[in-house]
Amino acid sequence: MLIEITDRFMASLTTKPPQSPALERGARILDIVARSKSFLSLSDLSRELKIARSSVHSLCQTLVNLELLIRRSDQTFQLGPHVMRWSNAFMLQSDVATEFAAIWDQETGLSGATITLTVQDGAEVVYIAARNNERARSSLEFRVGMRLPAAFTATGKAFLSHMTDYEIRRLFAHGLPEPRTARSVRSVEDLLAELRDIRREGYSCDEEQVAEGMVCYGAAVLDGGNRPIAGVAVSLSIDANAMSNRRAVIDNVLRMAAKLSHRMGADLSIADETREDHAASQMQK
């Protein structure tokens, strides 16, 4: 399902007509070079782009002159230093909390939903943004600065799912925190079992593990290195209406996570492949 959500989101980005074919091709060359695990030649790029080698040569020469590409001694290409200057500027200008605030009203068309954004701090998550719904019938009101155990929360589980089982065991070497409810996960082994499901499904769930009568669905927000930098969650009171809309809630949180990740510079196609590989490797252990 995560792959389907990502595909739909990425497809929406490619529906706009190109404004400058040469600029678009230049950007595609940079994308291909950035994603390749080996250095590519003009012939390689020509095959990838399905355009004439002479056209690729002209584009690459311009990119080399702009220091966006470096031509190596064997006539293959790698990214140039100008790309790093853009990357540094992007990181300085990007603020995940600001981006979250910019999209939450567009993406939260769910009656009674509370939307939260967290960052991980060791075995806890810290809430950096929250929009509580006045109609939500929950015993817990989220607020900025609140800390909760990562092992119990939806966003915390999303963060932990990006860690290896070894890292999880080391993080909780002295056991899990005191349970908050009767539904809170009680052992590291049970937590690892939950995380295996999260890696497979692409989203996390806290069903009354933090507060009785509340269910939360979460997903990780990735940065330009496809590393989790934040977690976004949708929380609702557990009732018949919430459970009947479960698929819509999950799709909603995955869309928000995909949009935020894209704005933070993540490569969502690579992120899907990495998640699948990670899930498969953990299943084999």
Side-chain angles (χ1 to χ4, degrees):
M1 177 54 67
L2 177 58
I3 295 176
E4 294 175 9
I5 294 288
T6 300
D7 287 345
R8 290 201 297 268
F9 173 66
M10 295 305 292
S12 71
L13 300 177
T14 59
T15 55
K16 297 179 180 179
Q19 301 299 312
S20 171
L23 183 58
E24 183 187 32
R25 287 177 174 177
R28 288 177 62 195
I29 288 174
L30 294 175
D31 281 341
I32 292 168
V33 172
R35 293 179 181 180
S36 177
K37 295 180 181 179
S38 60
F39 299 117
L40 301 178
S41 66
L42 284 174
S43 296
D44 296 327
L45 291 170
S46 177
R47 283 193 297 271
E48 287 280 347
L49 292 166
K50 296 181 175 58
I51 59 177
R53 191 174 184 276
S54 58
S55 298
V56 176
H57 178 272
S58 177
L59 289 166
C60 285
Q61 186 58 53
T62 299
L63 294 172
V64 168
N65 292 340
L66 294 172
E67 295 187 328
L68 294 171
L69 285 181
I70 292 174
R71 191 192 305 272
R72 294 163 48 85
S73 58
D74 60 357
Q75 301 305 302
T76 59
F77 296 92
Q78 69 182 69
L79 291 180
H82 202 117
V83 175
M84 183 56 67
R85 291 196 286 273
W86 284 349
S87 176
N88 291 337
F90 177 81
M91 294 305 296
L92 288 173
Q93 295 172 14
S94 296
D95 181 340
V96 66
T98 299
E99 297 293 342
F100 173 73
I103 71 169
W104 68 6
D105 286 325
Q106 304 168 20
E107 289 293 329
T108 58
L110 298 170
S111 177
T114 288
I115 317 299
T116 56
L117 186 74
T118 68
V119 293
Q120 184 181 11
D121 184 12
E124 295 183 317
V125 293
V126 182
Y127 288 77
I128 61 173
R131 192 191 75 167
N132 290 285
N133 193 298
E134 295 179 356
R135 291 178 292 174
R137 299 184 298 277
S138 172
S139 59
L140 180 66
E141 180 178 349
F142 295 99
R143 61 185 183 277
V144 174
M146 174 186 286
R147 288 175 173 266
L148 288 174
F152 305 150
T153 64
T155 55
K157 294 176 194 290
F159 279 117
L160 296 175
S161 71
H162 284 261
M163 299 169 65
T164 66
D165 286 3
Y166 171 77
E167 291 170 325
I168 299 297
R169 294 182 193 279
R170 188 171 61 178
L171 181 63
F172 296 107
H174 301 294
L176 298 183
E178 286 294 317
R180 289 180 58 90
T181 74
R183 300 291 298 275
S184 299
V185 63
R186 299 302 179 95
S187 71
V188 174
E189 292 305 316
D190 287 342
L191 175 62
L192 290 173
E194 285 190 31
L195 297 179
R196 284 191 285 273
D197 290 339
I198 292 168
R199 293 176 188 125
R200 183 179 63 252
E201 299 295 337
Y203 66 89
S204 57
C205 178
D206 146 32
E207 189 169 337
E208 295 188 285
Q209 291 198 35
V210 168
E212 293 181 356
M214 184 179 72
V215 60
C216 304
Y217 298 98
V221 177
L222 308 179
D223 65 8
N226 283 350
R227 297 176 296 268
I229 56 168
V232 61
V234 174
S235 306
L236 302 103
S237 300
I238 287 187
D239 54 30
N241 184 54
M243 302 302 6
S244 66
N245 288 332
R246 179 176 181 273
R247 188 69 259 169
V249 175
I250 293 168
D251 287 352
N252 185 273
V253 76
L254 289 174
R255 275 198 307 274
M256 283 194 290
K259 279 193 173 183
L260 283 169
S261 296
H262 177 73
R263 294 188 184 187
M264 292 298 102
D267 188 324
L268 298 178
S269 59
I270 292 178
D272 281 334
E273 294 173 3
T274 301
R275 182 183 62 80
E276 291 178 336
D277 291 344
H278 184 56
S281 67
Q282 293 299 319
M283 289 291 288
Q284 294 170 1
K285 294 182 180 180

